[in-house]
Amino acid sequence: MTLAVRYTSARTLDTAPSAASEPGPGEVELAPAYVGICGTDLHIFHGDMDARVHTPAVLGHEMSGRVVRVGPDVEGWQPGDAVTVMPLRWDGTCHACRAGHQHICQHLDFIGIDSPGAMQQRWTVPAATLVRLPGTLPLDQAALVEPTAVAVHDVGRAAVKEGEKVVVVGGGPVGILIALVARAAGAEVRVVELNAHRRLLAEELGLATWDPAAADITELVHQWTGEAGADVAFEVSGAAGGVETAVDVLGVRGRLCLVAIHPRPREVNLHRFFWRELTLVGARLYDRSDFERAVALVADGTIPAQRLLTKIVPLTEAPAAFEALESGGDVMKILVDCTDDTQGATA
């Protein structure tokens, strides 16, 4: 019998015994090592997704681990292989899938939300979801591959090019990752973030930051770009003010990439879209090429994953970790250690 972290009702998590299921045809059993807590997990914790999540629900989709057992008809994988999981299961028959957009399948099973996730000591998933990790990549750092894949997809959707000026509104984990991926693509990047701790971390990673409470961001962009405006803005804050800023900083034919999940409709200055011929693109999830690129970026140090890890806690302390993340403050990324429920460590 193994342990799992389960969401049972709004603001209530527990750790409970969980029986590992035998991997069936095309499936593998994994031993998750580290699982990240992300913003979507917090939405679930708050009860905001109760219409979608079936309780008790095992959470977690940012993970790294190793193969334990393989089911019938599984080729190319064996016990001990280091892996992460692209947590998407699509039907292959809907219009989106037939058009080649399986990652936004109209009947998508997002594993860790719609079906049991990785925050447990044994986890059975389709072999098709596995993504191989290099043996030299530490598994704690590898847990950041999934959010890095989000950033890779976002930067791709915005078609960021070398030499472009990019503004990232929101300096949380995904915002910082987007800034790092955009910089790796050759862009000049500025991160807009209220939280002083997050700004300091971004600056330690070589990213320039602006505090919207201390200066007029639109004026700073005008000075930075010679009044041309930014080529691309990413809205990662999830706040109404963030949307306004992301629109206002764009120059003619600028592109706004919407990354954050906004819980309610927002007002948008459509006149500016008309006047400057702006483009708005949505960015949701990722495909396999995004994941493979993310593995490479984490493995070669382009993404300094270790610097983004605030804390690693044992599985039994996961409920308290959710509360720590909820408070914001000096927390960036917390991982849950599923390999040992007796020891915790600070990264």
Side-chain angles (χ1 to χ4, degrees):
M1 192 69 70
T2 60
L3 287 178
V5 176
R6 307 184 310 168
Y7 168 77
T8 57
S9 62
R11 304 190 58 78
T12 305
L13 299 172
D14 66 15
T15 53
S18 174
S21 59
E22 184 84 15
E27 294 182 331
V28 294
E29 181 186 340
L30 304 179
Y34 299 96
V35 180
I37 304 172
C38 84
T40 302
D41 297 320
L42 285 178
H43 283 304
I44 296 172
F45 177 62
H46 295 155
D48 297 337
M49 299 176 67
D50 281 359
R52 179 176 173 183
V53 174
H54 302 288
T55 57
V58 180
L59 305 183
H61 56 271
E62 303 179 357
M63 65 81 62
S64 63
R66 295 190 182 277
V67 175
V68 175
R69 292 186 292 176
V70 299
D73 304 323
V74 173
E75 297 181 357
W77 299 103
Q78 60 186 10
D81 285 344
V83 299
T84 186
V85 166
M86 187 175 75
L88 309 179
R89 186 188 286 117
W90 49 80
D91 64 14
T93 63
C94 72
H95 177 76
C97 287
R98 294 197 307 273
H101 309 308
Q102 293 91 341
H103 70 291
I104 47 175
C105 169
Q106 291 166 251
H107 308 106
L108 185 69
D109 172 5
F110 191 111
I111 305 172
I113 300 175
D114 304 307
S115 57
M119 213 168 285
Q120 53 185 319
Q121 293 173 323
R122 291 292 184 272
W123 189 34
T124 299
V125 297
T129 66
L130 299 187
V131 178
R132 193 176 301 277
L133 296 173
T136 55
L137 179 60
L139 289 181
D140 57 349
Q141 297 180 36
L144 268 71
V145 165
E146 193 272 352
T148 301
V150 170
V152 171
H153 186 75
D154 297 341
V155 170
R157 284 287 289 153
V160 172
K161 296 184 285 291
E162 185 174 0
E164 290 193 313
K165 288 182 165 57
V166 171
V167 176
V168 180
V169 182
V174 172
I176 295 296
L177 290 169
I178 288 171
L180 292 169
V181 173
R183 184 176 69 180
E188 297 180 50
V189 183
R190 298 292 184 270
V191 178
V192 178
E193 172 57 46
L194 280 166
N195 183 282
H197 174 75
R198 289 179 169 181
R199 288 199 310 275
L200 178 60
L201 176 59
E203 290 162 5
E204 290 174 348
L205 298 177
L207 297 166
T209 70
W210 287 326
D211 179 0
D216 182 329
I217 300 302
T218 303
E219 179 58 31
L220 289 175
V221 171
H222 283 175
Q223 295 172 14
W224 176 43
T225 64
E227 299 188 355
D231 299 293
V232 180
F234 292 91
E235 203 311 279
V236 202
S237 72
V243 175
E244 183 177 356
T245 297
V247 173
D248 287 349
V249 300
L250 288 170
V252 170
R253 289 283 178 102
R255 288 104 67 198
L256 169 58
C257 184
L258 181 61
V259 178
I261 300 174
H262 287 259
R264 61 185 61 86
R266 302 294 191 192
E267 289 190 7
V268 179
N269 186 347
L270 293 180
H271 182 267
R272 193 172 293 268
F273 272 81
F274 158 76
W275 197 253
R276 296 186 176 181
E277 292 196 352
L278 304 181
T279 298
L280 170 64
V281 295
R284 178 187 173 199
L285 301 175
Y286 29 61
D287 59 27
R288 181 163 287 272
S289 65
D290 296 323
F291 246 83
E292 291 170 349
R293 174 67 173 152
V295 170
L297 291 173
V298 175
D300 70 12
T302 299
I303 301 300
Q306 193 65 40
R307 299 288 301 280
L308 298 175
L309 300 179
T310 304
K311 185 185 297 185
I312 300 174
V313 303
L315 185 145
T316 52
E317 293 182 15
F322 273 74
E323 294 179 2
L325 271 175
E326 183 181 37
S327 67
D330 295 347
V331 179
M332 182 61 73
K333 176 62 68 175
I334 295 179
L335 301 184
V336 175
D337 182 351
C338 295
T339 65
D340 181 356
D341 62 3
T342 60
Q343 298 293 325
T346 297

